[in-house]
Every structure is written in C-alpha cells, then in structure tokens.
Amino acid sequence: MSTTVQSTTATPRKILVLGATSGIAEATCRIWASQGASLFLIARNGEKLAAVAADLKTRGASFIDTAVADLDDTDKHPELLAHAINSLTGMDIAYLAHGILGDQTEAERDFNTAAQIIHTNYMAPVSLLTWLANFCAQRHSGTLAVISSVAGDRGRKSNYLYGSSKAGLSAFLGGLRNRVDREGVTVLTIKPGPTKTAMTANMPKSEKFADPESVAESIVSAIDKRKDILYVPFQWQPIMFIIRNIPERIFKKLNL
Amino acid sequence: MPDAIETEEAKQVQAPFESWGRYPTYGAKLLPLHWQSDFPAVTAGLHNGALPVGMGRSYGDVCLLKDGNLLVTTAMNRLIAFDPETGLLTAEAGVNLAQILDFAVPRGFFLPVTPGTKYVTLGGAIANDIHGKNHHVAGTFGRHITQFELVRSDGSRMLCTPTENPEFFAATIGGLGLTGLISWATLRLKPIVSRKIDYEGIQFHGIDEFLELTNQAKDIEYTVSWVDVTSTGRNFARGVFMQGDHSSRKDDLIKSAKPKLIFPFEAPGFALNSLSVSLFNTAFFHKQIHKRVVALQDYEPFFYPLDKVLHWNRMYGKRGLLQFQYVIPWEHAKEGTIAILQAVAKSGLASFLAVLKAFGDVPSPGMMSFPKPGITLALDFPIKPDKSFPLFQRLADMTLELGGRLYPAKDAAMTAPQFQAFYPQWQHFAQYRDPMLTSSFWERVTSNS
Ligand SMILES: Cc1cc2nc3c(=O)[nH]c(=O)nc-3n(C[C@H](O)[C@H](O)[C@H](O)COP(=O)(O)OP(=O)(O)OC[C@H]3O[C@@H](n4cnc5c(N)ncnc54)[C@H](O)[C@@H]3O)c2cc1C
C-alpha cells in the first residue's frame, strides 16, 4: 500500500486551493494559515480573493499567491495548475472546493441550465483531478481533498441536478482512489451536510446546520489522518445510510 | 459561476434577530453581508430603511429596526493586516472580540478596552463607543481606533481618521450605526507578556467605602464593583470591589477554553423573583469569605465571567430583561447613587446584577459617546410589563436631575425628551446620518409626538 511519507510539520505544507472564496474553503484555509502553510489560492472574483488572501497572510501563512480564474474553462486547467505548482514549488495537498447549487426548477425546464451545473460540479473537477492525480502519481505523493456532498448519496426532487453532479463526482473519486492509492496518493471525498455561515451565529437555528469552523476542523483532521471519505458533521453518515436504503417504491412518495 | 459551494443555507428562512435583552422583539429582514462590496448593493431597490448590526449584544433597540432591513455584518470578519511592532490590527468590522483575542493573545497582544463579553463585533464596539473596566486610564474603545472606512448608502466610501473627514470620525464613534456602514477599522492593541491578571477582590460596605477604594486604585488598570442591591439597613450598598492588572510575570500566552455551559431553555417567569435574586446576591457576597482575596487569574474569567454560560439572557424568560445604566458627574456621584439605589430597593423590583464603576476624565473622541467623568451604575431587571417601565422613568428623571445621562446600548425605555436632554448635541449629530439608515431606538428617541 502507501509507502510515501508526507512532510507535515517540519517544512510548511504546500497547499493548492480551488474555489478559495467559498465559506468552507476559507474556514479551512484559516486553520492551515495559522499553522504556517504555503497557499496558492484560485477563485473567480479578484476582489474577494484579495480579501481572503490578506486575511490568510495576516493569520500566519508563510507564503501566499493567487490566480483569478474561471474553473469552468477546462482548456486553461493544465496551464493554470502548472503555474500554481510552480509558484508553490511543489504541492502536498490540492483542495477542490468550487461548485454551484444551481437553480433546480430552471434546470427542469432548460437543459442548458442543467448542463451548466453538471459542467461546473462534475466536468471541471474531472479535468482538474485528471491533471492533479497524474502529477501526484508520478511523484508518489500528495493528497487530493475534494468537496462533494451528502446530496450525491441519493437523488431527490428538490435538488437532483446538483445531487447527480455530486453523485458523479463521488463515484469518480472512488475510482480515482482505487487507481492511485498504490501510487502513494490519497484521495479524500468530503461530504458536508448543510452548513451555517458566521452571520447566523446568534440566531436560533435547527440543529442540523453545522458551523463552517467545525466543518473545517474535521476536514483538516481527515486530511492529516489520510481518510478516504468524510461525512461532516459525522451524524450524516448514519442518516445517509438510512436514506440510501429506503426502498425506491417508498422513497418516490416522500417529500424530501 | 460562483466559486462557492452553496448549500441549503441559501434557501433557509431567517429567524428573527434579537437584541441581548430580548426586548423589544420586532420583525425585520436580515441581509447578510459577506464581503465589503456587498453594501450598498444588497439594499438596492429596497424601501423601509436599513441598519448595520453585529452580534446583537446591545440590550435594547439600538440594534433593531422594526419592519426594516438589518445588515448582518458577522460574516465580514477577515483580518486585513497586523503590525507586531506597533500592535495595529486592521480588520473587517464584523470580526468579534473573541476572534481578535484568539489571534492577538498568543502573539502577546490584548484589547485596549473590552466590555464584559467578548461576543461583540469591532463595528458594534465602535458604534456604541464601548467602555471597559479600564475607562479611568484608557478611556473608551474609540480612543484606540486610528482609522476606519465608512460606506454610505449612495455607494461612496470615506476614509475617516482624526484628521481626515474628522467630523465623520467623531460622529461614527458612538454614532449608533446611523452614519454609514463601518466596513473595516484599525485598532491599536496593547502588548502583554502573560494571559494572567493579578486580581484582588475587596469587600466594602456602603458608597463611602467604595469611593475610598476607587481613590486608592487610581493606578490600577482594571477596577469594577458588584453591589448587592437587595440588602437594606446595615448592609445597604455592600459589595465587592474587584481590581486587577495584567500580570508582568512572563507566562504562557497560549490556551483557549471554549465556553462549555449553554443555558438551554427559557426559565419560567417565576424563577427570577425578589427572593431568588436576594439569595443570589447574598451568596455572591459571602462567596468571598475573606475581606480581601488575592489571586492570579486567567483573563477569561476575569473579564468574561458570564460568557461561560452562553445565552444566559434566556434565564430571564420570554419577556426578556433590560439594563439600566447611567453615569452621573462627580459632584452628585455619592448622594445620587444612594438615592437611586434606595429608589430601586423601594420599588421591590430586584436587580440580579448591579455593577458600579468610576469613569475617568480621558475624553471620548465620539460626538455622542456615553461615558463622562463620574460614577456609572448598571442594573439588570427582568421585564415586568406594568412595573418596570414606571421605575425606569423615575430613575431616568432622577438621572437627568443629577446631571447624568443613560447609555443607549442598554436602553429600550427612555423617552424622546429624556434622550434629547441627555444628548443635546443630537441635532448636530443628525446632520451626519446616512439618509437610508435608522434604528428603532432612533425613531423612538427623536419622535416628539
Ligand atoms: C454581558 C454583556 C456585557 C456588556 N458589558 C459592557 C461593558 O462593560 N461596556 C460597554 O460599553 N458595553 C457593554 N455591553 C454592551 C455591548 O458591548 C455593546 O452593546 C456592543 O456595542 C455590542 O456589539 P455588537 O457587535 O453585538 O453590536 P450590536 O448590538 O449588534 O449593534 C450595536 C450598534 O452598533 C451598530 N453597528 C454594528 N456594526 C456596525 C458596523 N459595521 N457599522 C456601523 N454600525 C454598526 C449597530 O447599528 C448598533 O447601533 C455588554 C453587553 C453584554 C451582553
């Protein structure tokens, strides 16, 4: 099985973050920054990206570089990734956190909307991960941590476009893990449930919403432990087990 | 397409925004600000006015806007820059003091001024120009703000410092969120070598002893007193005088205790009556069995004893609570405080927590700041509809006669004439208001009908 040892504490870890302005990604990067990591951040909006980068620099990141890019543009991926890894002078972790929920109702009427969701949530990650996995496999090291969703575990009427794109992504990650594990590369599938944002901190809210900070802590720890699949918060694992096992003839009548 | 993973949170129905006193309660639309560029974009096309809000740790209605739009700033909490040479920290206004402490203490820095809870935002601390246990040496929070950006609803952005846009600098510190959105600010932190506080607690009997202890503690950085407002006769105005300094013994700066207790449910209305309050106060007084207690204490229990119990405000039940905080100038400090404590005792309405402190003469930079030299007293009252408000009116009138004023951050009861007499500069201040921003507090205290 895995033979390579990953440097964790001695030299700062080199981390590539795709979709760095997402709430969960930002919370995760704050932990890494306070540990002194080197970070390369990619996001679409330059102004937001600059705010995130300044925050992480202030919190102690030992190196920060950024690139503004639309990850839907798969043609540009090889060049973008090569540039990022060059800037970081290597890569220990690639963290994919970009994605869209999309408009389910619109997607039911219009295939272009559906295709857009699938492109952003499935096609673009497949393109990125193909390049990244080959890069890591060649070096026999590295972790690919990818945010999928509990919504990918079973399609339901309220968001099956989003769900199916994430289901595809989860299946892809499973296969990729099976392929590159023997090369010393770790693939982590992250399945978050609904997550609270900081702005709702002082408002009463149903128990099933998690804090981005605690979600981020679980992600950092799952990466450190080289886990394969992370349900976060962990309660989603038994819940999704039950949901996956409801017989279809009953499931189709449920309002979920 | 957006960078963000968007989950179901985007679709959820927002719960009402409550102030800390949970009174009054008003419906409002919550508009979360995630980025500095979100305001004024989020209010485009909206009517009914708007108000920036932080953690809702004000007690009354300065952070409420009935049927309006609340700009919730807490997700705008990024750090922008820190200079370990000068201690200057620049951050977005929605960052809270707990987050600042988590960042600063391990680096050997502390807040220049802190209130009795660390769950307040940088923006909220500026807008109420809050004070702490070191007011007599450090002045208010606003004194330690070197610059900030003010965003107006017309989209203009203004850098404010004591010399650049100085009128807006003065109007916004203590400006109750009405002059614009503070998007970021620079705060001067102060160096420490230890997380610990050299603490001393001293029992006193009566206001004379309190004043004497205050006088002796002029050079001590932090002082505050708890007073037993339930005892009469020989025990009238007894209390514990608490003082402390940052320990100068080099010590570990790293440790973080997360609050563990959460007050999980609303207490039934009868849990807090005069009897339980009086028992609590007697117990508190005797908890300190010796006249003097000396201890080396972590800063968290020293500054934030109540933060250990998150949502302790629920203890007051559904109707909520209100603080009543005044400052009265030195010339009336003693007889005024005695008169007010007597009025409270006579009313039969018990105050659970009564906090007494001397304000110093370090001036506030804010035009509408509450603190001024003299004595301040803060009293917590559970709300009893027919009894509380007549008492508040009586106490407010007494405060006015004594040349004092009330703290808007703790108020939901003063009348428009009372407010206008406490803050005669209010009309001048009103010139700097942003036309879109208003609050339930402001509507109440400026309507003369
Ligand atoms: C247990 C406890 C102890 C306390 N102790 C003290 C104390 O010792 N001393 C003291 O002075 N106060 C004290 N307070 C009161 C508290 O410090 C203030 O009410 C503080 O302003 C609350 O900050 P917040 O972030 O919760 O703001 P909120 O209560 O949400 O808002 C307060 C004001 O700030 C404005 N505001 C918020 N953010 C912005 C922004 N970005 N731009 C412009 N305006 C903005 C709002 O419009 C409102 O007028 C205490 C409160 C509690 C609950």
Side-chain angles (χ1 to χ4, degrees), chain B residues 64-321:
Chain B
L64 300 177
L65 180 55
K66 186 171 191 257
D67 301 328
N69 304 292
L70 294 180
L71 307 167
V72 185
T73 57
T74 47
M76 225 173 67
N77 62 8
R78 295 171 196 89
L79 306 183
I80 296 169
F82 177 63
D83 180 351
E85 299 294 315
T86 57
L88 288 169
L89 174 70
T90 303
E92 291 179 346
V95 72
N96 66 50
L97 301 188
Q99 292 164 337
I100 293 181
L101 288 166
D102 283 348
F103 172 81
V105 172
R107 290 170 168 78
F109 284 92
F110 201 75
L111 296 164
V113 165
T114 176
T117 172
K118 57 181 176 174
Y119 300 118
V120 311
T121 61
L122 179 57
I126 297 171
N128 274 328
D129 197 17
I130 60 168
H131 57 269
K133 297 177 170 67
N134 57 353
H135 184 274
H136 59 288
V137 288
T140 60
F141 194 83
R143 273 189 72 85
H144 309 273
I145 296 294
T146 59
Q147 54 172 359
F148 55 81
E149 183 187 67
L150 192 65
V151 186
R152 306 270 289 182
S153 57
D154 63 8
S156 62
R157 294 176 170 258
M158 219 187 299
L159 179 72
C160 300
T161 77
T163 52
E164 206 162 326
N165 296 308
E167 332 75 49
F168 279 98
F169 187 78
T172 302
I173 293 174
L176 307 173
L178 302 170
T179 59
L181 173 83
I182 303 163
S183 59
W184 57 262
T186 302
L187 172 69
R188 192 188 301 281
L189 300 174
K190 72 165 181 226
I192 51 169
V193 296
S194 161
R195 304 174 46 95
K196 302 256 167 60
I197 299 289
D198 278 318
Y199 165 81
E200 191 169 0
I202 308 156
Q203 289 181 347
F204 63 83
H205 286 87
I207 299 299
D208 279 325
E209 272 184 46
F210 161 78
L211 289 171
E212 198 181 308
L213 288 165
T214 299
N215 205 30
Q216 285 165 10
K218 275 212 167 77
D219 299 328
I220 292 175
E221 180 153 19
Y222 300 105
T223 66
V224 71
S225 295
W226 160 84
V227 216
D228 178 358
V229 285
T230 55
S231 294
T232 49
R234 207 166 51 83
N235 286 331
F236 179 72
R238 68 176 176 179
V240 179
F241 187 89
M242 295 169 268
Q243 59 186 41
D245 277 310
H246 289 282
S247 170
S248 53
R249 268 189 283 171
K250 284 219 169 77
D251 176 67
D252 199 359
L253 290 162
I254 297 154
K255 178 222 142 195
S256 186
K258 293 216 167 120
K260 284 183 198 82
L261 303 166
I262 295 186
F263 205 81
F265 51 84
E266 283 165 9
F270 57 80
L272 266 180
N273 52 34
S274 355
L275 180 64
S276 63
V277 170
S278 150
L279 285 174
F280 166 85
N281 276 291
T282 307
F284 191 104
F285 188 78
H286 290 294
K287 192 180 95 176
Q288 171 162 342
I289 11 177
H290 303 289
K291 186 150 171 55
R292 250 171 214 273
V293 167
V294 181
L296 190 63
Q297 198 180 28
D298 192 80
Y299 78 81
E300 292 194 77
F302 178 76
F303 288 108
Y304 315 115
L306 289 167
D307 281 353
K308 266 199 301 195
V309 189
L310 276 174
H311 298 301
W312 57 263
N313 53 340
R314 293 183 191 161
M315 178 179 79
Y316 285 84
K318 261 209 172 56
R319 282 203 203 114
L321 78 152

Side-chain angles (χ1 to χ4, degrees), chain B residues 345-359:
Chain B
K346 226 174 67 193
S347 75
L349 280 175
S351 171
F352 201 45
L353 273 178
V355 176
L356 194 60
K357 147 126 200 100
F359 280 154

Side-chain angles (χ1 to χ4, degrees), chain A residues 181-199:
Chain A
D181 181 72
R182 65 209 63 199
E183 309 290 345
V185 182
T186 307
V187 176
L188 169 64
T189 308
I190 302 161
K191 296 185 178 182
T195 303
K196 236 194 284 189
T197 51
M199 108 244 163

Side-chain angles (χ1 to χ4, degrees), chain A residues 10 13 23 37 51 87 93 100 106 112 121-122 125 140 161 165 177 222 238 252:
Chain A
R13 283 189 296 183
S87 169
I93 299 168
I100 53 166
E106 187 60 34
N112 288 328
N121 291 349
Y122 182 71
H140 304 291
L161 252 316
S165 65
R177 177 181 307 113
K252 70 183 180 190

Side-chain angles (χ1 to χ4, degrees), chain A residues 21-22 26 30 44 47-48 55 58-59 72 97-101 116 156 166 195 197-199 202 204-205, chain B residues 1-6 8-9 12 14-15 30 32 35 37 55 72 74 77-81 103 107:
Chain A
T21 54
S22 100
E26 196 181 356
R30 284 184 181 181
R44 276 185 349 129
E47 202 181 322
K48 294 176 181 177
D55 177 68
T58 307
R59 287 173 196 275
D72 281 352
H98 73 286
I100 53 166
L101 186 56
Q116 182 62 63
R156 50 198 184 104
K166 291 297 194 180
T195 303
T197 51
M199 108 244 163
N202 60 340
K205 164 155 295 127
Chain B
M1 299 301 99
D3 306 308
I5 287 283
E6 287 167 29
E8 293 175 21
E9 71 196 83
Q12 69 176 296
Q14 299 289 7
L30 304 185
W35 305 94
S37 52
M55 301 282 285
V72 185
T74 47
N77 62 8
R78 295 171 196 89
L79 306 183
I80 296 169
F103 172 81
R107 290 170 168 78

